[in-house]
Amino acid sequence: MQLAGATIRNVSQGVIGVSLLQALLAGIGLMAVGVPGASLIAFLVLILGLFKLARRLILLPVIIWSWITMETSTALIFTAYMVPVNFVDNILKPIIITRGLKTPMW
C-alpha cells in the first residue's frame, strides 16, 4: 500500500510540476518576444500538459507565426528557446516520477 501510494504521489507531482514548469517557461518566452495572447497560450500549454496532450499543438503554430511576422534573428532565438521548452517534459517527468521509488519505470 505504501509503494502504491508513493507511486501515485510521484506520478501526480511529476505531471503537475512539469506542466507548471513548462507553462511558465513557455509564457516567459512568449512574453519576451511580444506574442499577442501570451498568457492565454501559456494557460493552454498548462491545461494540455495536465491532460497529458501534446503541447506542440499549441507551440508549433506560434513558432511558425514568429517566422512569418518577426525578424529572422528574433524568430531564430525564439525557436531556439521554444524547442527545448517543448521537450522538457520528456526529460523531467521520468526523473521526477522515479525519484525515491523502488518500482521499475515500465
Side-chain angles (χ1 to χ4, degrees), residues 33-36 60-70 78:
V33 296
V35 173
L60 186 62
V62 175
I63 292 172
I64 293 169
W65 173 84
S66 73
W67 282 96
I68 294 170
T69 61
M70 296 178 188
F78 179 67

Side-chain angles (χ1 to χ4, degrees), residues 30-90:
L30 293 167
M31 286 192 281
V33 296
V35 173
S39 58
L40 177 63
I41 295 170
F43 180 71
L44 290 173
V45 169
L46 173 66
I47 296 300
L48 289 176
L50 291 175
F51 290 119
K52 299 187 65 140
L53 299 172
R55 280 129 338 250
R56 291 158 197 80
L57 296 174
I58 297 291
L59 295 177
L60 186 62
V62 175
I63 292 172
I64 293 169
W65 173 84
S66 73
W67 282 96
I68 294 170
T69 61
M70 296 178 188
E71 294 180 15
T72 304
S73 60
T74 307
L76 183 63
I77 292 169
F78 179 67
T79 302
Y81 176 78
M82 292 307 283
V83 167
V85 169
N86 272 322
F87 295 106
V88 74
D89 62 326
N90 295 342

